């Protein structure tokens, strides 16, 4: 066992973030790695048992963390995303959820052997997927926008619905099995649910109003929001269990659709906090499981229940509920397969396991085992299959990582053409139709609009792009764009053209110190690159070999050659900058802007002579 609670907290954080890093490094599902790590330090080796060690604090810690995660996820649910998807999402989160509840309850009764009462409670709970498992999968799989939005909206909306459905089923069962039925509890449940939704809306509007009117300072905005989230959740949950999830979801959606810039500014901080909480909770929950539960998972009735839930109940609920919508067959297949259960299912099921067992309902003793079996098998199966299935169904963004180029000019147009030749996605964004003229004439994908505009966020699909290059003539604007998108793309994937001013050997104020890496070299400005293109310089690809290695390439290249980017056989790309630490190897392709060879130079001179003679 761990020597102290402090050491255990440290270990939970280390294992959680370490699992996330391993998943990123080796392209594995993060939730699978976290689950395995928790099982190893918990029931397998007995290093820690958070539920026992934290005592009475264990439940509230998990509950508050779930509330914050669900709020952060719902803060991304802007109704503008629903253009063209409103009908299928509504169908899936209503009719689809109802069908899944009925079919799941029947399966729990006839296959898992639960009593009707327990089956309907657990059937309502198991319709949830949730942001704790869906968002890591979407981050890993790079689905096309439509499929990703459907899974995201379903996971976040159905999370509180599933918990409330379980409570509703329990209240109904309690009402009909009571010796003296009293409908006041049912009325109280519905009233509490309505109150929770109104409370969430009111908290969201209240925080939004304070932000808009300047009644809260910048440094208190993030802490203030978190405290109000906990307040909103606790008040609703104290009245009726699980209505707190509905309250924080309503609060998040309300804030997301008020169009407040301060909320967008805080989003990345909240995403980081959510990532930390998800990592910690998965470790805590899996580490708290008992060996007996792990062994019971492999009982035939539990295995049979999980198989039917994955291969029959989920696909049927999606296919039936989306009849008459514009979802393609491939989108229905993917959505019908991907439904991992996560933290909400585990935490709420443990609450009902004790209540139903105390009430003497048959089958309540295996609720925890059944829940973990469904969570573990769906997490593993869907975590490892989502990327492969998405590619087979043509619903993933395949190929080389793409680049968004901000600013249309002579150099960026030719750079985009070179990227298109190596089949790397590229798009040029500019707010001027005149500057986009050469881009359009070159057949290059483009977006006419302001990159920093809110409308661009909803109209420009950024899924295929991992790199961003700000290359306008305004250096301060380039720095602002890079600073804005750095949290989304990562510090190493955001570049700006050099702010170096050739005429006086100085930099443009302080913009060289902020926002993104300087593209290529600090003494190579965008004006210089455009001039080189106009002077006949060409984009050249050089494939390195064992004989013709990188050192030889550098020694033999023309001194005026500008190194642009490197293509790896794996498809990975690296743009040159003075911070680049990677050394190209054999089979890598080095792309450069090089002087024309002698033949090209003669043609250029001939054209220049003809041009002068015609004047």
């Amino acid at each position: 066992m761990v020597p102290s609670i402090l050491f255990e907290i440290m270990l939970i954080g280390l294992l959680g973030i370490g699992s996330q890093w391993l998943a990123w490094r080796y392209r594995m599902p993060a939730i699978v790695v976290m689950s395995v790590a928790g099982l190893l330090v918990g029931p397998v080796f007995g290093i820690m048992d958070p539920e026992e060690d934290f005592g009475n604090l264990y439940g509230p810690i998990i509950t508050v963390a779930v509330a914050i995660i669900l709020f952060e996820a719902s803060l991304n649910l802007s109704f503008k995303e629903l253009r063209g998807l409103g009908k299928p999402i509504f169908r899936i989160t209503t009719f689809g959820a109802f069908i899944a509840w009925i079919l799941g309850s029947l399966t729990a009764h006839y296959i898992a052997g639960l009593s009707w009462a327990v089956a309907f409670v657990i059937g309502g709970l198991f319709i949830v997927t949730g942001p704790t498992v869906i968002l890591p999968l979407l981050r890993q799989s790079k689905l096309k926008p439509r499929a990703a939005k459907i899974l995201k909206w379903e996971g976040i909306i159905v999370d509180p619905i599933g918990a409330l459905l379980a409570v509703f089923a329990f209240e109904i069962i309690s009402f009909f099995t009571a010796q003296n039925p009293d409908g006041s509890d049912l009325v109280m449940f519905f009233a509490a649910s309505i109150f929770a939704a109104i409370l969430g809306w009111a908290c969201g509007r209240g925080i939004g109003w304070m932000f808009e009117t300047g009644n809260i300072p910048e440094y208190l905005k993030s802490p203030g929001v978190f405290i109000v989230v906990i307040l909103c959740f606790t008040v609703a949950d104290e009245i009726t269990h699980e209505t707190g999830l509905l309250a924080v979801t309503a609060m998040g959606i309300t804030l997301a659709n008020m169009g407040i810039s301060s909320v967008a500014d805080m989003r990345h901080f909240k995403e980081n906090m959510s990532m930390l909480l998800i990592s910690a909770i998965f470790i805590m929950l899996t580490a708290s499981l008992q060996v007996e539960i792990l062994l019971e998972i492999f009982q035939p009735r539990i295995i049979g229940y999980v198989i039917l839930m994955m291969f029959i109940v989920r696909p049927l609920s999606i296919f039936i509920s989306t009849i008459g919508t514009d979802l393609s067959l491939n989108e229905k297949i993917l959505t019908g397969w991907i439904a991992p259960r996560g933290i909400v299912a585990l935490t709420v099921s443990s609450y009902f396991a004790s209540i139903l067992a105390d009430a003497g309902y048959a089958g309540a003793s295996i609720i925890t085992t059944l829940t973990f079996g469904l969570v573990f098998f769906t997490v593993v199966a869907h975590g490892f299959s989502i990327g492969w299935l998405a590619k087979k169904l043509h619903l993933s963004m395949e190929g080389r990582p793409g680049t968004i180029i901000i600013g249309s000019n002579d150099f960026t147009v030719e750079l985009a053409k070179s990227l298109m030749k190596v089949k790397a996605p590229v798009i040029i964004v500019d707010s001027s139709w005149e500057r986009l003229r050469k881009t359009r004439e070159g057949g290059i994908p483009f977006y006419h609009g302001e990159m920093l505009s809110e409308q661009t966020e909803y109209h420009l699909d950024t899924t295929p792009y991992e790199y961003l290059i700000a290359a306008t003539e305004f250096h301060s604007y380039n720095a602002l764009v890079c600073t804005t998108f750095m949290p989304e793309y990562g510090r190493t994937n955001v570049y700006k053209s050099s702010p170096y001013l050739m005429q006086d050997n100085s930099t443009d104020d302080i913009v060289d110190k902020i926002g993104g890496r300087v593209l290529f070299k600090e003494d190579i400005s965008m004006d210089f690159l455009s001039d080189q293109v106009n002077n006949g310089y060409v984009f050249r690809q050089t494939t390195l070999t064992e004989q013709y290695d990188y050192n030889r390439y550098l020694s033999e290249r023309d001194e005026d050659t500008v190194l642009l980017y490197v293509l790896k056989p794996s498809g990975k790309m690296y743009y040159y900058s003075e911070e680049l630490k990677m050394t190209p190897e054999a089979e890598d392709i080095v792309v450069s802007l090089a002087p024309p060879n002698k033949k090209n130079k003669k043609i250029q001179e001939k054209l220049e002579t003809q041009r002068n003679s015609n004047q």
Side-chain angles (χ1 to χ4, degrees):
M1 298 295 288
V2 293
S4 66
I5 293 294
L6 179 61
F7 186 89
E8 186 166 341
I9 293 173
M10 178 278 297
L11 185 59
I12 290 171
L14 184 63
L15 289 172
I17 299 303
S19 298
Q20 294 277 5
W21 181 85
L22 282 174
W24 166 81
R25 181 67 178 81
Y26 296 103
R27 296 181 177 274
M28 294 187 295
I31 47 181
V32 175
V33 181
M34 289 186 291
S35 298
V36 171
L39 290 175
L40 289 176
V41 298
V44 176
F45 294 112
I47 298 174
M48 65 178 181
D49 185 348
E51 185 172 11
E52 179 181 330
D53 298 338
F54 285 95
N56 293 333
L57 288 176
Y58 177 81
I61 289 173
I62 299 291
T63 302
V64 169
V66 170
I68 293 173
I69 293 167
L70 191 56
F71 167 76
E72 189 279 324
S74 62
L75 202 58
N76 295 312
L77 297 184
S78 172
F79 292 134
K80 294 180 180 179
E81 280 192 359
L82 289 178
R83 291 176 182 144
L85 289 175
K87 186 176 181 180
I89 288 176
F90 174 77
R91 290 278 196 88
I92 290 172
T93 55
T94 53
F95 301 125
F98 179 77
I99 294 169
W101 177 33
I102 299 301
L103 294 180
S105 301
L106 294 174
T107 306
H109 175 71
Y110 288 109
I111 304 300
L114 304 183
S115 65
W116 281 114
V118 178
F120 271 94
V121 171
I122 221 66
L125 177 61
F126 285 167
I127 69 171
V128 304
T129 52
T132 59
V133 283
I134 283 295
L135 296 184
L137 288 187
L138 296 182
R139 193 179 298 114
Q140 142 206 344
S141 58
K142 296 182 180 178
L143 295 181
K144 289 184 177 178
R146 275 176 60 91
K149 288 176 182 177
I150 291 170
L151 290 172
K152 182 182 77 172
W153 273 83
E154 182 204 7
I156 297 170
I157 295 297
V158 174
D159 228 26
I161 291 177
L164 289 174
L165 202 55
V167 177
F168 171 70
F170 177 74
E171 295 293 345
I172 288 288
I173 291 164
S174 300
F175 175 77
F176 284 109
T177 57
Q179 292 182 350
N180 299 308
D182 184 3
S184 60
D185 288 341
L186 279 177
V187 174
M188 179 64 181
F189 167 75
F190 287 112
S193 299
I194 294 172
F195 170 76
I198 295 174
L199 176 64
W201 172 83
C203 288
R205 295 295 299 184
I207 284 290
W209 175 80
M210 292 185 71
F211 283 3
E212 288 181 315
T213 55
N215 282 307
I216 183 169
E218 289 294 327
Y219 70 92
L220 282 181
K221 285 184 176 179
S222 292
V225 168
F226 274 110
I227 292 302
V228 174
V229 169
I230 297 172
L231 168 72
C232 180
F233 174 83
T234 304
V235 170
D237 214 59
E238 286 294 314
I239 295 175
T240 298
H241 201 64
E242 303 308 331
T243 57
L245 296 178
L246 177 62
V248 295
T249 302
M251 178 180 171
I253 293 176
T254 300
L255 271 173
N257 291 277
M258 290 181 67
I260 303 171
S261 59
S262 297
V263 173
D265 294 340
M266 292 188 301
R267 182 168 289 134
H268 297 298
F269 169 75
K270 293 190 294 294
E271 287 174 352
N272 293 337
M273 180 62 70
S274 180
M275 174 72 72
L276 181 61
L277 291 174
I278 289 173
S279 305
I281 291 176
F282 257 101
I283 298 296
M284 292 175 65
L285 288 172
T286 51
S288 299
L289 292 170
Q290 303 301 315
V291 176
E292 295 77 16
I293 292 178
L294 296 180
L295 296 177
E296 288 178 359
I297 288 174
F298 299 98
Q299 293 181 19
R301 59 173 175 168
I302 292 181
I303 296 292
Y305 172 78
V306 170
I307 290 175
L308 286 177
M309 287 290 288
M310 292 171 63
F311 292 94
I312 302 297
V313 174
R314 171 66 178 185
L316 273 179
S317 65
I318 294 299
F319 274 82
I320 293 174
S321 64
T322 55
I323 292 175
T325 66
D326 62 348
L327 288 189
S328 67
L329 177 61
N330 287 354
E331 289 171 334
K332 291 181 181 180
I333 292 173
L334 182 70
T335 308
W337 169 244
I338 301 300
R341 275 60 169 191
I343 292 172
V344 170
L346 283 172
T347 54
V348 178
S349 68
S350 63
Y351 165 75
F352 280 111
S354 59
I355 290 182
L356 292 169
D358 292 341
Y361 288 103
S365 60
I366 68 165
I367 286 180
T368 302
T369 304
L370 195 68
T371 305
F372 183 74
L374 186 62
V375 168
F376 185 76
F377 285 118
T378 55
V379 161
V380 172
H382 298 153
F384 280 108
S385 64
I386 185 171
W388 173 84
L389 183 60
K391 288 180 181 179
K392 290 294 182 181
L393 297 175
H394 306 291
L395 294 175
S396 69
M397 308 304 300
E398 302 180 47
R400 298 185 184 277
T403 303
I404 295 180
I405 301 175
I406 316 299
S408 177
N409 52 57
D410 292 331
F411 172 75
T412 57
V413 167
E414 295 303 319
L415 175 63
K417 288 180 180 178
S418 78
L419 290 169
M420 292 173 67
K421 286 181 181 178
V422 298
K423 298 182 180 180
V426 63
I427 189 170
I428 293 180
V429 179
D430 204 305
S431 58
S432 168
W433 279 113
E434 177 59 29
R435 287 194 295 268
L436 283 170
R437 181 174 57 83
K438 288 187 177 181
T439 301
R440 291 180 281 131
E441 291 174 352
I444 300 167
F446 69 92
Y447 176 80
H448 175 245
E450 169 54 58
M451 189 63 191
L452 297 176
S453 168
E454 182 184 358
Q455 294 301 314
T456 300
E457 180 180 350
Y458 300 107
H459 291 93
L460 176 61
D461 174 21
T462 60
T463 307
Y465 310 107
E466 292 187 14
Y467 300 101
L468 182 143
I469 296 175
T472 72
E473 61 189 26
F474 306 105
H475 303 312
S476 298
Y477 177 79
N478 294 341
L480 178 60
V481 169
C482 290
T483 301
T484 301
F485 288 96
M486 193 180 296
E488 180 175 344
Y489 288 88
R491 187 176 299 275
T492 59
N493 291 352
V494 174
Y495 299 86
K496 63 184 178 184
S497 60
S498 175
Y500 184 85
L501 303 179
M502 298 179 64
Q503 61 268 28
D504 58 3
N505 250 11
S506 64
T507 54
D508 184 7
D509 201 18
I510 62 169
V511 294
D512 61 322
K513 303 295 183 184
I514 60 175
R517 294 181 169 186
V518 173
L519 189 63
F520 312 136
K521 295 178 67 176
E522 289 190 356
D523 59 352
I524 298 179
S525 68
M526 196 53 55
D527 289 338
F528 172 79
L529 292 169
S530 294
D531 288 342
Q532 298 298 72
V533 169
N534 292 328
N535 289 332
Y537 276 55
V538 294
F539 284 77
R540 189 164 292 153
Q541 298 180 18
T542 304
T543 303
L544 302 180
T545 63
E546 295 291 344
Q547 294 74 28
Y548 190 75
D549 61 12
Y550 189 57
N551 290 330
R552 184 177 174 184
Y553 167 76
L554 292 178
S555 63
E556 294 183 4
R557 70 187 174 105
D558 190 289
E559 61 180 8
D560 292 330
T561 298
V562 179
L563 301 177
L564 303 178
Y565 56 91
V566 177
L567 297 170
K568 308 287 287 185
S570 63
K572 189 69 176 175
M573 290 177 56
Y574 295 91
Y575 283 97
Y576 274 93
S577 76
E578 295 188 348
E579 300 176 44
L580 180 66
K581 305 300 182 184
M582 187 271 305
T583 300
E585 303 170 341
E587 298 186 13
D588 291 354
I589 299 175
V590 179
V591 180
S592 60
L593 181 63
N597 56 34
K598 293 181 179 180
K599 182 179 179 181
N600 288 339
K601 187 173 288 187
K602 289 181 179 179
I603 294 174
Q604 191 73 20
E605 290 174 353
K606 184 177 180 180
L607 291 173
E608 190 68 29
T609 302
Q610 290 178 351
R611 191 180 298 114
N612 293 334
S613 63
N614 291 332
Q615 291 179 351

